């Protein structure tokens, strides 16, 4: 179980780092503040995922929701309609990387949440 938590935390940190990098390089645009919140939330949840035992199911579920929400926002931004009037493209800096990191992160955190759920029932 610890391995899944550590890997999930690494994906959270990577996602947060991508968003912070985009803000610091001016690529975040109008969503810059939400990118900073994403980075901060990713850091807090990554730490909590490693150190918590009592609320592991809650922590892993919140981590999964953050990762999944971020992935869905990116996918919506990649559509012609965009996200709140903003559009992204796979040719944009780090968009393909973010898509891969967030997709795998969702799978890892879903597995972590499932394992935490099973562990809680023991």
């Amino acid at each position: 179980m610890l391995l899944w938590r550590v890997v999930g935390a690494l994906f959270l940190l990577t996602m947060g780092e991508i968003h912070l990098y985009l803000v610091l390089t001016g690529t975040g645009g109008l969503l810059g503040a939400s990118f900073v919140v994403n980075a901060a939330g990713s850091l807090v949840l990554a730490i909590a995922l490693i150190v918590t035992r009592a609320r592991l199911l809650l922590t892993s579920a919140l981590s999964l929701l953050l990762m999944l929400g971020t992935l869905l926002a990116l996918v919506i931004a990649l559509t012609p309609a965009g996200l709140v009037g903003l559009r992204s493209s796979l040719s944009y800096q780090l968009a393909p990387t973010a898509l891969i990191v967030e997709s795998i992160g969702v799978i890892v955190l879903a597995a972590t949440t499932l394992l935490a759920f099973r562990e809680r029932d023991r």
Side-chain angles (χ1 to χ4, degrees):
M1 181 67 187
L2 180 61
L3 178 63
W4 284 100
R5 292 164 56 187
V6 169
V7 173
L10 290 173
F11 275 98
L12 283 166
L13 291 172
T14 303
M15 178 182 72
E17 187 276 329
I18 289 170
H19 284 84
L20 189 57
Y21 176 83
L22 292 173
V23 168
L24 294 176
T25 59
T27 311
L30 297 174
L31 295 175
S34 67
F35 280 22
V36 171
V37 170
N38 182 288
S42 297
L43 176 61
V44 168
L45 286 169
I47 293 169
L49 200 58
I50 298 298
V51 301
T52 191
R53 290 284 300 154
R55 304 256 185 228
L56 181 57
L57 180 58
L58 176 63
T59 303
S60 61
L62 289 174
S63 299
L64 174 60
L65 287 174
L66 178 63
M67 186 75 70
L68 184 60
T70 304
L71 174 61
L72 290 175
L74 175 56
V75 169
I76 292 169
L78 289 170
T79 66
L83 177 68
V84 267
L86 299 171
R87 290 187 295 156
S88 187
S89 166
L90 289 176
S91 65
Y92 286 171
Q93 184 180 22
L94 292 178
T97 304
L99 194 59
I100 292 167
V101 165
E102 292 163 12
S103 296
I104 297 171
V106 164
I107 294 167
V108 168
L109 290 168
T112 306
T113 302
L114 179 62
L115 290 170
F117 182 76
R118 287 183 179 172
E119 191 172 287
R120 183 194 71 161
D121 285 345
R122 287 184 196 174

